[in-house]
Amino acid sequence: MKKSLLLPLMFLTLPALAAAPFTPEQEARIKELIRETLVQNPAILAEAADAFDKEAAKQQQSVVAQMVQKTMTPYSTMPVHRASGRRNRR
């Protein structure tokens, strides 16, 4: 998971670097500092991976909940037969 997280993290930093008017030397130094920081503090990547996993799990739960709601709606609106308590089937 950590390797697959690195690529999206790089893409997240690219717009910020592209928007700022840095010289090529400054960009190279910034990249070097980021690389050094991540190598010296690998826990940063672990924290980012954990946060990514949590967000992905939340999104997956949301999708599942929406699908369950969508699937159950027709059944929850069926009239209930008063005598037996069963739902009327047509």
Side-chain angles (χ1 to χ4, degrees):
M1 179 62 203
K2 291 179 185 174
K3 287 184 181 179
S4 64
L5 180 65
L6 189 56
L7 188 60
L9 283 175
M10 283 198 252
F11 284 119
L12 287 174
T13 58
L14 286 178
L17 292 175
F22 295 120
T23 65
E25 293 81 17
Q26 289 172 325
E27 286 184 30
R29 181 64 183 141
I30 290 169
K31 289 177 184 178
E32 182 182 333
L33 289 171
I34 292 171
R35 187 175 296 112
E36 287 175 9
T37 301
L38 293 176
V39 167
Q40 291 173 2
N41 303 300
I44 294 170
L45 292 175
E47 289 175 27
D50 289 342
F52 180 82
D53 288 342
K54 287 178 185 177
E55 183 61 30
K58 282 182 188 178
Q59 289 178 355
Q60 185 177 9
Q61 287 176 342
S62 175
V63 168
V64 169
Q66 289 173 2
M67 292 301 294
V68 168
Q69 181 65 31
K70 186 177 179 180
T71 303
M72 293 305 296
T73 298
Y75 299 107
S76 64
T77 58
M78 286 180 140
V80 176
H81 189 274
R82 299 210 187 271
S84 68
R86 294 184 178 178
R87 298 205 180 273
N88 294 331
R89 297 187 183 202
R90 297 179 189 190

